[in-house]
Amino acid sequence: MRQLFVSLFSILLIQNSVVAQVQPPVLPQLNAPPRSSKPASPKLESLPSLYNEEGLTPDEAVNVAVYERCNRSVVNISTLGVRADRFFLRTTEEGNGSGSVLDKEGHILTNYHVIDRAQQVAVTLYNEETYPAKLVGADPVNDIAVIKIDAKPDELFPIEFGDSDKLRVGMRVFALGNPFGLERTMSDGMISSLNRTLEIQQNWIIKSIIQIDASINPGNSGGPLINSHAKLIGMNTAIASRVEQSAGIGFAIPINLIRRVVPELIDHGRVIRGEIGISHVTVTEHGLRVSQLTPNGPAEKAGVRGPRRIRRGPAVIIDRSAADTIVALENEPVASAAEFLGIIESKKPGEVVTLTILRNDQLIEISVTLGGSVNEKGVGI
């Protein structure tokens, strides 16, 4: 075996020797640059499709353009309020939020919960000028408020509205605001889902909420949600988190809802909604049982029945089984107070709505003419 190994090794040496003799000698080139073992690095000029004249990638260029176009339209809001504790001691409470400039008159859009119970509200513009603000109007059920400052028109840069009906999951979005008091902060992400529901007030649910994964934190409330065309598509209002900071699930009120509410807040200070005169319902397997009617209200006038009160001596017995059960409103089935309120919210005083009622195991329809505007907390159910 050893002899075989030596023989094969010898043959390889002989072959290499022969090849070396056959190959011609390599002559050195005069004035030739030294060879390098590393490939030449490409120059920036050789990649014109990746960068613009400022050296920005397309994504970076969009980020910068959105921020520069919208930055002056975003304001920081600071509040000062007084809170009473369980020992009835009054303590000062400070808060921070964000907002968007609506017009040259100084109207600012923000969340209602940002300025709720605040005794003093201050707005800081992009140029670090701060102005006291006063409340113009609020819609607590949709968490929308409009405040106003007396600033010079040339200091105010109204934000441009987009169209939230054209949003798609996966579209890029930007959140601007004042998280944790860090002024003029921008984060980006995408639309994670559409038509989420969010309960703002008890028994009042907004169905068209935008879900995003852009980082928003305390202080972002009331700030704008922007698309890649630098247009307002929503207002950041809440996060889903167990630690009160961003966990990648944020929610924004769509601009088309805001667009419908804001003019009424500016003109009337509140949203004028129709009043049906049903102050409380109980959820049953068949629908919404009427628990309490507003005395001489629209529903009672139309013939809707509530619980029957039976007096037996000094005692009064309430027979709830005698009350009507609302099965549908405007031919739309209703299984919760939120669904009922969602339809009423879109109606105005004087409009007629049709209730489908279950009474004595029979379905009947009752037309109700809605009454005047309700209080600012909405229909009380």
Side-chain angles (χ1 to χ4, degrees), residues 199-380:
E199 185 174 349
I200 301 295
Q201 291 280 335
Q202 184 178 8
N203 289 329
W204 188 277
I205 294 177
I206 305 176
K207 295 183 178 181
S208 53
I209 290 292
I210 305 165
Q211 180 185 333
I212 61 174
D213 71 351
S215 178
I216 57 175
N217 290 284
N220 274 115
S221 291
L225 183 68
I226 309 293
N227 65 11
S228 56
H229 298 278
K231 294 184 178 181
L232 180 68
I233 57 172
M235 178 168 59
N236 302 313
T237 190
I239 58 176
S241 176
R242 297 179 180 178
V243 291
E244 297 185 357
Q245 56 185 299
S246 177
I249 302 177
F251 302 101
I253 300 172
I255 186 58
N256 287 2
L257 171 59
I258 297 170
R259 191 198 302 268
R260 188 169 69 246
V261 168
V262 163
E264 292 197 56
L265 298 185
I266 294 176
D267 293 340
H268 309 292
R270 60 180 178 177
V271 177
I272 299 178
R273 298 185 175 95
E275 180 183 5
I276 197 167
I278 300 174
S279 54
H280 191 73
V281 296
T282 302
V283 178
T284 70
E285 59 179 341
H286 300 295
L288 306 179
R289 180 189 294 160
V290 178
S291 297
Q292 187 175 347
L293 291 168
T294 302
N296 203 33
E300 187 175 70
K301 288 181 178 179
V304 177
R305 298 178 183 177
R308 182 168 51 191
R309 287 173 168 79
I310 304 172
R311 180 174 294 278
R312 293 182 178 176
V316 176
I317 299 175
I318 299 177
D319 181 10
R320 302 186 185 280
S321 63
D324 290 336
T325 298
I326 302 171
V327 177
L329 172 60
E330 296 290 84
N331 297 318
E332 292 288 336
V334 288
S336 69
E339 291 179 341
F340 185 81
L341 290 173
I343 300 175
I344 294 297
E345 192 266 348
S346 63
K347 306 297 181 181
K348 298 296 181 183
E351 291 191 46
V352 178
V353 297
T354 301
L355 299 179
T356 302
I357 298 293
L358 179 64
R359 178 186 295 172
N360 298 327
D361 296 327
Q362 292 185 343
L363 292 176
I364 62 174
E365 289 188 349
I366 297 179
S367 297
V368 181
T369 301
L370 300 180
S373 63
V374 299
N375 59 47
E376 67 175 14
K377 292 297 182 183
V379 182

Side-chain angles (χ1 to χ4, degrees), residues 15-194:
Q15 289 179 343
N16 291 337
S17 177
V18 171
V19 172
Q21 293 177 2
V22 173
Q23 290 179 344
V26 179
L27 299 177
Q29 297 181 9
L30 298 177
N31 300 324
R35 294 187 178 182
S36 174
S37 59
K38 297 182 180 180
S41 300
K43 296 181 179 180
L44 184 61
E45 292 77 13
S46 65
L47 301 172
S49 62
L50 296 182
Y51 305 94
N52 63 13
E53 62 276 7
E54 296 179 335
L56 301 176
T57 66
D59 283 346
E60 291 171 339
V62 171
N63 296 348
V64 172
V66 168
Y67 185 81
E68 291 183 348
R69 183 174 299 183
C70 298
N71 178 47
R72 295 181 296 178
S73 303
V74 182
V75 304
N76 300 322
I77 299 174
S78 56
T79 61
L80 188 64
V82 176
R83 177 176 57 87
D85 61 19
R86 60 179 180 172
F87 299 107
F88 303 101
L89 297 175
R90 295 168 65 85
T91 59
T92 301
E93 191 173 50
E94 297 181 354
N96 288 285
S98 306
S100 302
V101 177
L102 291 174
D103 52 37
K104 290 286 188 177
E105 284 71 43
H107 291 107
I108 307 294
L109 171 70
T110 189
N111 281 137
Y112 173 72
H113 76 258
V114 170
I115 52 88
D116 185 24
R117 295 188 296 272
Q119 294 185 330
Q120 297 179 25
V121 179
V123 171
T124 302
L125 300 178
Y126 73 98
N127 57 3
E128 299 185 0
E129 291 292 331
T130 300
Y131 295 89
K134 62 180 180 180
L135 178 64
V136 173
D139 181 22
V141 296
N142 287 317
D143 200 16
I144 299 172
V146 174
I147 58 179
K148 189 176 187 297
I149 60 175
D150 293 326
K152 298 178 182 178
D154 59 2
E155 291 183 302
L156 300 170
F157 295 84
I159 199 161
E160 185 177 356
F161 283 13
D163 186 354
S164 54
D165 287 342
K166 296 181 179 179
L167 299 181
R168 298 292 183 271
V169 174
M171 292 177 66
R172 191 174 180 185
V173 292
F174 302 86
L176 276 71
N178 185 32
F180 296 114
L182 299 173
E183 299 180 356
R184 328 220 68 76
T185 298
M186 182 176 81
S187 60
D188 72 330
M190 68 176 181
I191 296 176
S192 303
S193 185
L194 294 169

